Every structure is written in C-alpha cells, then in structure tokens.
Amino acid sequence: MMGSLDEDALSDMVQYAHETQHEKILRGLSLGIAMICYGQLEAADPTIQSLTDDKDPVLRMCGMYSVGMAYAGTGNNKAIRRLLHVAVSDVNDDVRRAAVISIGFLLFNAPEQCPNVVSLLSESYNSHVRYGAALALGISCAGSGMKEALNILEPMIN
C-alpha cells in the first residue's frame, strides 16, 4: 500500500477519519494516508490539497506529512514553500510542527540546505515549531556531523 496512491483506500480512510471520535485512530489513519502518498510527487497534490483544506487539525497535519512523503528526498521548492507557509500561518501547533518536520523529509538528499531553511524557524517563539526544526535537522542531517546543524541545535539545549 505504501506509495500506491490507491484512491479506494484513501477515500475509505479519509471517510473513516471524518466519522471516528477516537484520537488515536485518527492519528493512525493520518500517518497511513501520508504513507500511501509516498513518492507520488504531483500525483498526490489533489489529495494533499483536500487534506490541507480540512477543518480538522489532525487531517491538516496529515496533509503536511503527505507533502513530506509525496516529495521525500526531492527538495521540491513548491513543496517547501507550501510547508513554510503552513509552518508560520496555521492556527494549530501540531499542524505547524508537522509542516516543519516534513521539511526534513524533503531535504534528506540535500542535507546542506536544511540548516538554511529551518534556521529562522529554530528561533521561533513557538516551542512546537522549534521542536519541528530540531527534528527536521535530525532527519535530513542524520549522520552528517554538519557544523551548521549542530550550531542551530546547540542553543535549543539551554
């Protein structure tokens, strides 16, 4: 199912997500939907758009993770702009954090770009956004030992 963009599965999962009252089931569905979008690039855009326009913050968070999965490793500028816009404008902290974390997934093939992209976010007043910036750096720069990434993370420790 991962990366299949199966329309039947997606519609069933989104429909069930709208109907359920259980937070844990909803979060599990949101990650499952994002994984179905893995590697689909522009083909996943209609699904992503419908998720990001939803009034439910968990489904908007799912939209952010779907962007990260659909464009994983590509460094797609349009996707990065979309994530940055949500990271600074959404009213829900979990959605903002998911947007910043997803930047790490987009940039894992170009880890040298991630510190520049998330450096201002790492200084945000919002702790959720700072947390997302730390995870984005960890995802994209894992094992690289990049001084720039470490210089951004070090002030967050204190």
Side-chain angles (χ1 to χ4, degrees), residues 64-68 83 97-107 136:
M64 297 303 100
Y65 285 132
S66 295
V67 172
L83 292 170
R97 181 180 61 231
V100 181
I101 291 170
S102 294
I103 292 170
F105 287 114
L106 262 72
L107 296 175

Side-chain angles (χ1 to χ4, degrees), residues 34-120:
M35 298 237 180
I36 288 175
C37 294
Y38 177 75
Q40 293 297 317
L41 303 172
E42 287 87 9
D45 281 350
T47 302
I48 292 167
Q49 189 62 46
S50 70
L51 291 168
T52 57
D53 291 343
D54 202 285
K55 64 179 174 23
D56 186 347
V58 177
L59 289 177
R60 289 198 313 273
M61 181 180 69
C62 172
M64 297 303 100
Y65 285 132
S66 295
V67 172
M69 291 291 103
Y71 292 94
T74 64
N76 183 289
N77 284 330
K78 180 183 165 195
I80 291 173
R81 278 195 309 272
R82 172 186 249 165
L83 292 170
L84 286 172
H85 173 71
V86 172
V88 298
S89 66
D90 199 275
V91 296
N92 186 279
D93 288 333
D94 292 333
V95 177
R96 296 174 76 179
R97 181 180 61 231
V100 181
I101 291 170
S102 294
I103 292 170
F105 287 114
L106 262 72
L107 296 175
F108 73 75
N109 279 338
E112 66 281 352
Q113 293 179 1
C114 193
N116 293 333
V117 174
V118 301
S119 63
L120 288 176

